[in-house]
Amino acid sequence: MSLREKIMKLPVWKAMILTFFVGFLFMAVIEELFISKIFSVMNGMITRFEKTEKEEKKDWETYEKSYEAFNKKSHDDFEESWKKSEEESKQRTIKEYCNEISNIESQNKSLNEMKSKNYKKPKELIIRAWEKERLTELEKKAPMREIRLKAAKEMLNKFGASEKNCNEIS
């Protein structure tokens, strides 16, 4: 007798139990062979995605750190350059005020020399006329020179320098 004939001769309740039992075994085998493999593959994919995400996050953090370092270096270089240009500008301005003071003092010295009793007047008429014109001009601009001299000295003080610094700069 074949298996089919043996099953057909069994009572219905035994056949039902046998059918449920065979179905359960069939489902267990399918689940073990296919579904667990599917979940295993899906778990592997999820693990790979998480690993890739962690690597990308790590790469992104590395990029952000390098970008921040680059920005900090750029900012520091800019600040250094700015301070250097400010200092150069300050020194240039101080030098301009020193030159202004030097010019004013030179003109005042010329005026004092021309007014002194020991000053020898030239013999030639053209030079004498030129010196007279120069003396008149120096005397006329003397009050304005004094104002400019005072202002230049005040500006030197504002920049933290003095007339002594002018001798060092020149």
Side-chain angles (χ1 to χ4, degrees):
M1 216 190 293
S2 72
L3 185 60
R4 185 173 174 201
E5 290 173 351
K6 285 182 182 178
I7 292 174
M8 292 300 241
K9 286 187 179 180
L10 288 175
V12 175
W13 67 274
K14 282 186 179 179
M16 289 297 259
I17 291 175
L18 186 61
T19 306
F20 280 122
F21 181 69
V22 170
F24 177 74
L25 284 175
F26 183 69
M27 290 300 284
V29 168
I30 289 176
E31 193 271 329
E32 185 62 34
L33 292 176
F34 296 109
I35 296 177
S36 66
K37 295 289 183 193
I38 290 172
F39 280 116
S40 174
V41 169
M42 288 177 61
N43 186 32
M45 289 174 60
I46 290 171
T47 304
R48 202 171 336 122
F49 285 135
E50 287 175 348
K51 185 178 176 184
T52 304
E53 183 181 359
K54 285 180 183 177
E55 289 174 358
E56 287 176 354
K57 187 175 181 181
K58 185 178 176 182
D59 289 345
W60 183 254
E61 288 173 354
T62 304
Y63 170 75
E64 284 181 336
K65 286 179 183 177
S66 66
Y67 183 74
E68 287 174 8
F70 173 77
N71 275 347
K72 183 175 180 346
K73 185 180 182 318
S74 296
H75 185 271
D76 291 346
D77 289 347
F78 175 76
E79 286 291 322
E80 182 180 323
S81 174
W82 182 265
K83 287 178 183 176
K84 186 178 178 182
S85 68
E86 285 289 318
E87 184 62 29
E88 288 172 356
S89 174
K90 178 181 172 183
Q91 291 302 321
R92 201 170 30 252
T93 305
I94 289 172
K95 189 172 183 177
E96 288 173 6
Y97 285 120
C98 287
N99 289 339
E100 177 77 11
I101 290 171
S102 175
N103 289 338
I104 291 170
E105 288 175 347
S106 173
Q107 290 173 355
N108 285 342
K109 183 179 176 185
S110 294
L111 177 65
N112 289 337
E113 285 176 0
M114 290 175 141
K115 281 185 168 182
S116 77
K117 293 179 183 176
N118 297 336
Y119 182 69
K120 294 182 181 178
K121 294 185 179 181
K123 296 178 181 176
E124 292 144 15
L125 269 165
I126 296 174
I127 296 175
R128 197 179 303 167
W130 177 80
E131 281 188 351
K132 185 177 180 182
E133 186 179 308
R134 175 85 173 131
L135 178 64
T136 307
E137 182 182 327
L138 288 172
E139 285 176 336
K140 181 179 169 186
K141 293 184 178 179
M144 190 59 154
R145 272 197 313 275
E146 289 303 316
I147 293 170
R148 285 187 8 237
L149 181 64
K150 184 179 177 184
K153 286 180 180 181
E154 286 176 7
M155 290 306 291
L156 279 179
N157 287 334
K158 283 186 180 180
F159 281 105
S162 67
E163 290 181 67
K164 293 175 185 175
N165 298 106
C166 290
N167 297 333
E168 294 171 7
I169 291 173
S170 300

